[in-house]
Amino acid sequence: MAQPSSLTNISRQRSSNPLIQAWLALLGLSVGSALLTLIGAPSAIIAGGILLLALIKARVILKHYLDLENSQSWLRGFTMVLTGFSVVVFALSLV
């Protein structure tokens, strides 16, 4: 039986690292925010989309980089506060 190559093992180790996955998610969300500005939608829809993506990015950072994954109550609390802040910012952007 052939053994898997070391390259396969390295790529498997890299993709299972949660910090790399979080970084890739943040990169994808940032690209999504940039692409959202290029569509010809009304400014309120673009602002809402960018705020939603920023909220998701904040949750990824809190969960993976600040290690709140193991403390669900703190993660929920921060998420609620950030969601409230995002709603206020969105409401102010509509005025």
Side-chain angles (χ1 to χ4, degrees):
M1 207 167 14
Q3 291 196 348
S5 69
S6 61
L7 183 60
T8 306
N9 290 338
I10 291 171
S11 65
R12 191 174 298 138
Q13 289 172 354
R14 285 185 184 165
S15 65
S16 65
N17 186 348
L19 290 181
I20 291 176
Q21 290 176 349
W23 183 80
L24 290 173
L26 291 171
L27 183 64
L29 290 167
S30 295
V31 168
S33 296
L35 291 175
L36 193 58
T37 62
L38 298 176
I39 64 172
S43 61
I45 293 174
I46 293 174
I50 290 174
L51 278 171
L52 180 64
L53 291 175
L55 183 62
I56 294 169
K57 285 168 56 173
R59 186 165 165 86
V60 168
I61 291 169
L62 288 169
K63 186 176 182 182
H64 294 289
Y65 288 101
L66 296 180
D67 205 25
L68 291 181
E69 188 173 26
N70 300 325
S71 179
Q72 291 297 317
S73 59
W74 279 100
L75 182 60
R76 251 190 319 263
F78 276 118
T79 302
M80 286 178 14
V81 169
L82 287 172
T83 301
F85 179 73
S86 296
V87 168
V88 169
V89 168
F90 182 67
L92 290 173
S93 75
L94 294 177
V95 173

